[in-house]
Amino acid sequence: MLDYSCLAILKSFVHQIPGIRSYTFFKSLDRPPTKMVGLGVWDDFNLASKFLYAPDGVPEECYWRSLGAKVKFGIYHVVFITSNGKSEL
């Protein structure tokens, strides 16, 4: 159910979030999958943190918790990634 809800969120909700450029979800490869990871690209840190760390949380968080999921957010700043896969500042 968790991966289906992530797909529904991508199709109906993510494009409405201010400052978000793209978003995708990945599920773990263990069987059965036990983790989902979301990866978003934002215009800037402030817009991402305003959304992800809002007092009420993100809208889908309540549903995910009802499924027994533990939700954790982190914001990382990547300056750029070269074509050889190495991150550089």
Side-chain angles (χ1 to χ4, degrees):
M1 288 300 283
L2 187 58
D3 53 341
Y4 290 117
S5 74
C6 292
L7 180 61
I9 289 163
L10 282 177
K11 289 187 173 196
S12 63
F13 179 69
V14 170
H15 68 280
Q16 301 172 16
I17 301 170
I20 197 159
R21 291 186 180 184
S22 67
Y23 208 91
T24 190
F25 289 98
F26 301 95
K27 61 182 172 180
S28 62
L29 298 176
D30 57 338
R31 296 284 177 219
T34 58
K35 295 181 181 172
M36 296 284 299
V37 174
L39 176 63
V41 178
W42 297 77
D43 285 333
D44 66 43
F45 173 83
N46 292 326
L47 289 170
S49 60
K50 181 179 178 182
F51 180 77
L52 295 176
Y53 298 123
D56 297 332
V58 296
E60 60 274 14
E61 191 173 342
C62 183
Y63 175 73
W64 288 337
R65 290 189 192 280
S66 76
L67 295 175
K70 296 178 183 169
V71 182
K72 294 189 268 180
F73 295 108
I75 298 176
Y76 304 93
H77 183 195
V78 176
V79 177
F80 69 91
I81 299 175
T82 64
S83 61
N84 64 7
K86 293 183 180 177
S87 167
E88 298 182 15
L89 296 177

